Amino acid sequence: MAANVAAAAAAPPQAEITLENVHSLSTYDLRQELTRRGELERDPALAEDFGYRRGLERLVALLTAEKEAAYAGRTAEAAVAPPAEGETLAEKLKRQKEERKAAALARSRARQQDPNYFKGRKDANATAQAEKEAAPAAAAPVEAVAPAEPIAAGPETDDAETDAVEPLFAQKRTGARVHVR
């Protein structure tokens, strides 16, 4: 068995095996990949009773562990690495928020220090209220629309002739139509 492990480890993998394509491997490919990774040496019970399902479960577990380790390594590098600009995104957003808040407070203080500010607001509100009350009175009444005249029926046709042409419509037609999908 040691010779098999050495031969499998020396042979390059046919294609990169990922979580996206592991399901397409055959039982032979699963066994070869697990042998190359040394899993069959570590777990003799897996080697003795190897099947597609057990091999797939083990390889998916290995690939998932590798993916999580790579992700943890990338996040650790990102957390340890100092920001290139000297300011992190959170710090930048916090600074911009504080700047906007300070500008808004300055505008508010300037408005409130103006002696005519509150008087102007009262006048603007009174004008808007007066316009709102005057609007319904100025609206013109809507003219009544005359009902449409019924469409005159065309020349009468012989129902027997229609029934002979269209046997599905053998019943006398009324004005209502039913649409069936």
Side-chain angles (χ1 to χ4, degrees), residues 13-142:
Q14 295 174 356
E16 183 180 357
I17 297 173
T18 63
L19 286 171
E20 287 78 28
N21 66 5
V22 70
H23 67 278
S24 65
L25 297 177
S26 66
T27 305
Y28 175 79
D29 293 333
L30 289 171
R31 186 177 189 91
Q32 289 297 315
E33 182 64 22
L34 289 172
T35 302
R36 189 181 67 78
R37 292 173 182 247
E39 283 298 306
L40 296 180
E41 287 289 317
R42 281 187 227 126
D43 188 5
L46 177 64
E48 291 296 321
D49 188 27
F50 189 84
Y52 179 79
R53 178 172 286 186
R54 289 190 68 191
L56 185 64
E57 286 175 356
R58 179 62 61 99
L59 191 53
V60 166
L62 287 172
L63 291 171
T64 304
E66 287 176 1
K67 186 175 181 180
E68 289 174 356
Y71 178 74
R74 285 192 310 265
T75 55
E77 290 173 6
V80 171
E85 305 165 347
E87 181 178 43
T88 65
L89 178 62
E91 292 170 345
K92 178 181 174 185
L93 294 174
K94 186 176 180 180
R95 180 182 49 79
Q96 288 175 346
K97 181 179 178 182
E98 289 172 356
E99 288 172 0
R100 288 191 307 269
K101 186 175 180 180
L105 288 173
R107 285 192 309 270
S108 177
R109 280 191 213 102
R111 277 195 311 264
Q112 292 175 7
Q113 287 179 354
D114 182 18
N116 296 327
Y117 173 74
F118 292 108
K119 185 177 183 243
R121 294 304 304 160
K122 275 186 182 180
D123 293 343
N125 288 339
T127 306
Q129 185 66 25
E131 289 175 1
K132 189 176 181 181
E133 291 172 357
V142 178

Side-chain angles (χ1 to χ4, degrees), residues 159-179:
D159 287 337
E161 183 181 306
T162 305
D163 292 344
V165 175
E166 299 175 6
L168 294 176
F169 300 109
Q171 297 177 351
K172 184 162 176 107
R173 293 185 184 176
T174 62
R177 300 244 190 240
V178 176
H179 296 282

